[in-house]
Every structure is written in structure tokens, then in C-alpha cells.
Amino acid sequence: MNTFPPLRLLSTFEALSRYGSMRDAAARLNVTQPAVSQAIKQLEDHVGVTLIDRSVRPSRLTEEGELLARAVREGLGRISATLEDIRAMQANAERQITVACTLGVATYWLMPRLSGFYEDHPDITVNVQAPATDLPVLVPGVDVALRYGTGGWREGRSEKLFAEVVCPVGAPDLIARLLAEDTNLDAAPLIHVRSPHNQHWAGWEDYLTARGITRPRSGGQSFNNYVQAMQAVIDGRGLMLGWRSITERAVNDGSLQEWPDGALDLGTAYYVSTTASPSQDAKLFVDWLKAAA
């Protein structure tokens, strides 16, 4: 036996639960009141419980009826919203591109600049995805990927956007205090970004080793994404490794300050990757990215 009742019965039940009476539900559905009553009885027979308490006037939903009403309302709402999304996608299918990048790049580099693309191409919609992994890939449905590393990815075609430099950053008041106290990076409070999904990014241990700095311990607060860590740094709770493409705006507006002489080139860069046969809109977006970079 199919345990899922016919959608017609569920939609009738949802109308009854919404409008409170069989008369009003019938009027909304443009059917007769007996048709509503019959549909509710069929639904009760299907699920095997009483959904309407008919012993009181006006009748009301039983406890089981309330549970089902909430589930049906949520389910039909999601179906309706999804249909609207599908219609919108269909209407703009030829003028949409999807870009995958890390949450940090999306928040601090791409989104603040995206209005410039819309000024030149108001008829193209850019959908931005920030997957959990720190290395976005060109999966089906993704037209462009912004990736950090040394290049050499096999899928699609990749072009270098700009070289990246890493430098410790912190709140100006914190850096001023540390320097006044003659506290160096071997003892300064550190903030880490650590996650199983960000293996391609250098951490404090990598940076300190490359600079030849020995630190008795590398403790400090840890966050699993760059956005949370950035807020903690702005709040003055420690220093973090700042990739200039992400921290540049905060440094320019005075929210953050770079550690003096702390810049380090790790030989990495940001690349833009596209499918082997990108759409014309994807090509326009890549051209804009290169100009913005």
C-alpha cells in the first residue's frame, strides 16, 4: 500500500486547517462543502487516525491533525517556493552565471565589487556559492570558480588573477599596545582559522616557520571560517594571518592594521577557472574579474 496520500486530499486538508471551516475551505477551493468533507474522510481513512474533532462546534483539528497540518503547510510552501525558483531560473536561464568561491573571498573581495559588474551588465544575474571546501571546483551548475593556490588544476581552464601576499593583521589599538610593550610575533595573541575543509591555506605554524620565528606555543582562539575570525580580530582579540585580497579594505578603512614588515609571499595566487566551453556571459564575467583584479 502506498503510504503517501493523494496530493488532492492533502491540499484540501491544508485549506481546511488554514480557513477553519469546511464552508470557507470549499469556497476557497471552488468546490462543494460535501466534497471537502468527503476528501477529509478519505484522508482520515488513508492515515488511519481522526484528524477532525467533530464532537464540538465548530469542529477543530485533533492533535494528530495539528501535526499533519503543520507538515502539509510546510511541504506545500516549499513546493510553491521551489516552483517559483524554477520559473525564475527558466525565465533567466540564458542570463545567469554561478560563481563558486570561499566564504572569505565572497564576503570581502567579490561581493563589495559585484555592483560594478551589475552596472555594466544589469541583465546578467550572478549567483555566488560558498561551498564548505576551501577549494571550489567546477561541478555541474558552476560556471566560474575562484581558487587559491599554485594553479595546475586539471578540470576546465584556469587563468591567474593576481598574486597573493599574506601578512599578520590586527586591530590598530592591539598592535600599538603590543609594539609599545615590545611584544613580537613569538608571544603575541594569535587567532587561527582551522577546519578540515581549509587544508590549502597556510596557518600560523607555516608562517612562523617560513619567517624563522620560534614560538613556545601556538595557542589562541580558533574559528572554522575566515569571517568569524575576522570579526574577532576587529574586536581586538588577537592577530590573524591576513590575505591582502581579503583584508585590504579593512586595512584601508582603518579597521585593521598590518604587522610592520610582516608581509610574506608564499608563491600562491588567485585563479579564475571556467568550464572548457564557457558561455558568453561567463566570458564577460571573467573579463570583468580580470579588470577588477
Side-chain angles (χ1 to χ4, degrees), residues 64-76:
E64 293 84 357
E66 292 285 358
L67 290 174
L68 182 59
R70 285 196 295 270
V72 171
R73 193 173 300 119
E74 292 173 3
L76 293 178

Side-chain angles (χ1 to χ4, degrees), residues 85-167:
D85 290 342
I86 291 173
R87 293 189 187 103
M89 290 171 61
Q90 184 64 30
N92 300 289
E94 296 181 358
R95 306 298 291 176
Q96 282 197 16
I97 57 174
T98 298
V99 182
C101 59
T102 64
L103 181 61
V105 171
T107 303
Y108 298 114
W109 192 88
L110 180 58
M111 297 305 295
R113 293 171 168 82
L114 201 52
S115 59
F117 178 78
Y118 286 131
E119 289 178 4
D120 296 334
H121 306 284
D123 53 341
I124 300 177
T125 298
V126 179
N127 303 309
V128 180
Q129 294 184 357
T133 175
D134 68 328
L135 189 60
V137 294
L138 291 170
V139 297
V142 172
D143 303 292
V144 179
L146 297 179
R147 299 191 277 195
Y148 168 81
T150 56
W153 297 289
R154 294 183 178 180
E155 79 273 26
R157 299 186 299 186
S158 298
E159 298 180 68
K160 183 177 178 180
L161 277 181
F162 52 83
E164 184 58 289
V165 174
V166 64
C167 184

Side-chain angles (χ1 to χ4, degrees), residues 227-240:
V227 176
Q228 293 174 339
M230 177 85 93
Q231 187 58 55
V233 175
I234 291 175
D235 291 343
R237 290 153 64 182
L239 305 178
M240 72 179 292

Side-chain angles (χ1 to χ4, degrees), residues 242-260:
W243 277 260
R244 280 186 174 167
S245 61
I246 297 177
T247 60
E248 180 180 28
R249 285 178 175 250
V251 170
N252 289 341
D253 68 21
S255 300
L256 294 179
Q257 180 180 325
E258 291 187 342
W259 188 262

